[in-house]
Amino acid sequence: EGLFKIQKSHNKEFGGFIYDELPSDIKESILNYNISFEIIKLKDDGKIYEMFARLNTNNVALNKQELRNAQFWGEFKVFVLRKTSDFKNIFIDKKIFKDKDLSRMADVEFMNSLVIHLIDGIITDSNPKTDSYYKKFDKEFETNEIIEERLNRIFFIIEDIFYNNLFNTKIFYRKNYFWTLFATLNHQLFGSLDNDIPRNANFDDSSINANIQAFVSKLSLFESEFLNYEYSTEDIVSQKIVDFDKFHRTRTTSKDERKIRINILSEYLV
């Protein structure tokens, strides 16, 4: 009856089509698809309910991202899952997440935050806020191509940094620091954030490839100063370094503290 259209996020070629509009060979492949099922021949409804209660009982409660994954099927969820899969290797290779965290969709939860940042800039993250994006963009995610282009660009730059022979980070593999680096690159490349956050013209989208070694050098010098503070007992230290450390430990998803972190790192890059 034409009630169900194929979503573009599920198939770009046939997105927006209903079944009757599909080519004959695609229709045939759908009809020939095998679906596994079990026939339950019990007449006692109570027994059936008991069976499903046992199947659905688990010692580990679902976390918020796992619940979202079960609740939503639309454009935003598919986009986030796809981009998480695209860059899962860097999360694994650089041990940004532990195996048990990956199994509980921690990387997907993190990708939510990165994508939302590209959509709306620096905001305070919360579970209700994340849920609102899944709801808002469930049927349509019109800016997905622009967001994907920028997301890919930033991740490719991060890969260039992380796999550079002159860069051996101890802090930017940590999740909160990775977020700050990602957001800072977003601003350096595209000028996406507030005008009072400094930018280096050598690191904008058209120039950074030619100046990647300079970026790595500045980032390494910043990390060296930060680690000297982190492992030192000396009292004399830059207040900005102190704040950079503090706001990666407390109020890590708060808008104001996030902006301070991005601003501090951006100042070191100028």
Side-chain angles (χ1 to χ4, degrees):
E1 297 180 3
L3 296 178
F4 302 101
K5 291 185 177 181
I6 296 172
Q7 294 183 5
K8 290 183 179 179
S9 57
H10 292 160
N11 189 295
K12 288 186 177 181
E13 183 179 359
F14 299 116
F17 284 45
I18 60 174
Y19 177 80
D20 288 341
E21 296 171 335
L22 294 171
S24 297
D25 60 327
I26 301 300
K27 288 181 181 178
E28 185 177 352
S29 67
I30 291 174
L31 293 176
N32 288 331
Y33 187 83
N34 291 321
I35 299 175
S36 299
F37 63 92
E38 294 285 344
I39 297 176
I40 300 173
K41 296 183 178 180
L42 296 174
K43 294 183 179 180
D44 186 345
D45 287 346
K47 294 289 186 181
I48 295 174
Y49 292 140
E50 181 182 351
M51 183 185 303
F52 279 97
R54 288 179 179 177
L55 288 172
N56 291 325
T57 299
N58 196 305
N59 290 330
V60 180
L62 295 180
N63 62 37
K64 285 296 296 183
Q65 185 55 42
E66 289 167 331
L67 290 171
R68 273 186 214 107
N69 193 54
Q71 180 181 357
F72 296 97
W73 297 89
E75 299 288 330
F76 192 80
K77 169 192 166 175
V78 173
F79 180 84
V80 170
L81 288 177
R82 180 163 56 82
K83 299 318 298 180
T84 304
S85 176
D86 286 348
F87 297 108
K88 187 177 286 288
N89 283 345
I90 195 170
F91 292 149
I92 295 173
D93 189 37
K94 299 305 180 182
K95 296 181 172 55
I96 293 167
F97 296 98
K98 297 178 181 178
D99 289 345
K100 68 175 183 178
D101 295 327
L102 291 170
S103 71
R104 301 299 308 275
M105 304 189 78
D107 53 338
V108 180
E109 180 80 54
F110 186 59
M111 186 62 73
N112 289 336
S113 183
L114 301 181
V115 172
I116 289 171
H117 171 73
L118 292 180
I119 296 171
D120 281 332
I122 307 170
I123 67 166
T124 297
D125 273 350
S126 67
N127 283 321
K129 189 72 173 177
T130 301
D131 290 344
S132 73
Y133 284 86
Y134 273 75
K135 292 174 184 176
K136 181 178 180 180
F137 299 115
D138 194 47
K139 291 185 177 179
E140 286 188 279
F141 186 20
E142 295 178 349
T143 60
N144 74 88
E145 291 184 0
I146 296 172
I147 298 301
E148 182 166 22
E149 183 179 335
R150 291 194 172 188
L151 184 77
N152 289 348
R153 179 70 167 136
I154 295 169
F155 261 96
F156 292 150
I157 294 296
I158 289 176
E159 287 180 342
D160 284 345
I161 295 167
F162 282 2
Y163 293 100
N164 188 295
N165 291 331
L166 300 179
F167 189 70
N168 185 23
T169 184
K170 293 181 181 294
I171 64 171
F172 289 105
Y173 295 161
R174 304 173 193 172
K175 184 181 71 171
N176 291 332
Y177 291 85
F178 186 106
W179 190 98
T180 301
L181 177 60
F182 180 95
T184 300
L185 277 167
N186 177 36
H187 185 58
Q188 296 301 317
L189 290 169
F190 307 114
S192 303
L193 307 179
D194 296 344
N195 291 332
D196 60 337
I197 301 176
R199 294 179 71 201
N200 187 331
N202 290 323
F203 303 144
D204 66 18
D205 190 34
S206 63
S207 305
I208 193 167
N209 286 348
N211 296 295
I212 193 67
Q213 291 300 128
F215 189 99
V216 168
S217 178
K218 284 180 176 289
L219 197 62
S220 297
L221 288 172
F222 172 80
E223 178 160 345
S224 178
E225 185 174 343
F226 179 84
L227 291 176
N228 284 339
Y229 157 73
E230 193 171 47
Y231 295 115
S232 174
T233 58
E234 295 181 10
D235 294 330
I236 302 174
V237 66
S238 165
Q239 184 59 45
K240 290 181 180 179
I241 291 293
V242 174
D243 289 342
F244 195 77
D245 176 53
K246 175 183 177 181
F247 295 133
H248 279 94
R249 297 176 186 271
T250 61
R251 296 175 56 82
T252 58
T253 61
S254 171
K255 176 180 178 179
D256 291 342
E257 281 70 14
R258 280 179 162 178
K259 182 175 179 179
I260 291 171
R261 286 152 40 190
I262 296 168
N263 194 72
I264 290 170
L265 185 55
S266 294
E267 287 182 351
Y268 273 81
L269 294 174
V270 172

